Amino acid sequence: MIRIGIINVSDRASKGIYEDTPGQAIVATLNEYLTSPWEKEYAVIPDEQSQIEKMLIEMADEKQCCLIVTCGGTGPAKRDVTPEATEAVCDKMMPGFGELMRTTSLQSVPTAILSRQAAGIRNRTLIINLPGKPNAIRQCLDAVFPAIPYCIDLLEGPFLQCNETVIKVFRPKQ
């Protein structure tokens, strides 16, 4: 079974102060993209670097997620530490993902330069940090997802089949 981790990093959502719409936006988007059956590992946690690191490690190492998508904690505020947690647990950083997400977001909002989206690899798991707003989540996933299935192939993960009428993924011809 394909397992994908989704983590909403939010002090307020983790306390139930507001609804977890960002995490649900990721699930809805992945359901549109993927035709392969998949199951989610899901968490809503506060902006605490140690908790983010612990959850990333658990989802990658114990739950064997091939992909972990986080939302929130990527801005410049003091409590925004998701990229630091991701970098702390990854073997390799994948800067192209963040660069493309910021470039794409800049077409809509000039404050996209304040976002610190990141991506990296832990063992055989691709970890991607998205912003916390549902519209930005979809915009960023639309930009980077075409490369995600092939990246997971290169990590010797499961083969992700996608709905080509929704998202066109790239895999080199064999």
Side-chain angles (χ1 to χ4, degrees):
M1 176 58 73
I2 297 168
R3 213 174 260 122
I4 298 175
I6 297 152
I7 305 171
N8 182 358
V9 179
S10 167
D11 287 331
R12 291 178 286 179
S14 69
K15 293 176 183 169
I17 295 171
Y18 77 79
E19 187 180 353
D20 170 32
T21 54
Q24 296 306 316
I26 294 170
V27 172
T29 301
L30 292 176
N31 280 332
E32 286 183 48
Y33 290 169
L34 295 170
T35 57
S36 300
W38 67 284
E39 63 183 29
K40 68 181 182 282
E41 294 293 334
Y42 198 91
V44 181
I45 60 175
D47 289 279
E48 294 291 341
Q49 185 168 341
S50 62
Q51 289 185 45
I52 300 166
E53 288 177 21
K54 182 180 176 192
M55 186 58 63
L56 290 170
I57 291 168
E58 178 183 321
M59 286 187 176
D61 298 358
E62 296 170 29
K63 305 288 186 173
Q64 300 292 304
C65 294
C66 63
L67 172 66
I68 300 171
V69 183
T70 72
C71 56
T74 59
K78 185 177 181 177
R79 292 198 45 80
D80 290 333
V81 294
T82 304
E84 288 79 5
T86 298
E87 189 167 349
V89 304
C90 284
D91 309 309
K92 296 178 184 178
M93 295 307 292
M94 303 292 289
F97 284 92
E99 292 164 5
L100 180 57
M101 289 187 279
R102 279 184 293 281
T103 299
T104 301
S105 296
L106 275 169
Q107 296 170 14
S108 302
V109 59
T111 55
I113 61 172
L114 302 177
S115 191
R116 300 177 312 118
Q117 292 107 318
I121 296 169
R122 178 179 176 84
N123 299 322
R124 293 174 54 189
T125 302
L126 175 61
I127 301 171
I128 300 176
N129 303 148
L130 299 176
K133 301 219 180 324
N135 286 346
I137 287 167
R138 180 60 185 245
Q139 185 179 47
C140 288
L141 278 174
D142 282 349
V144 299
F145 199 85
I148 289 174
Y150 182 55
C151 183
I152 292 170
D153 293 348
L154 292 172
L155 297 174
E156 300 176 358
F159 189 83
L160 300 181
Q161 293 180 310
C162 299
N163 182 344
E164 292 285 324
T165 63
V166 176
I167 192 85
K168 300 235 184 280
V169 301
F170 176 81
R171 284 187 169 104
K173 298 200 186 300
Q174 299 295 332

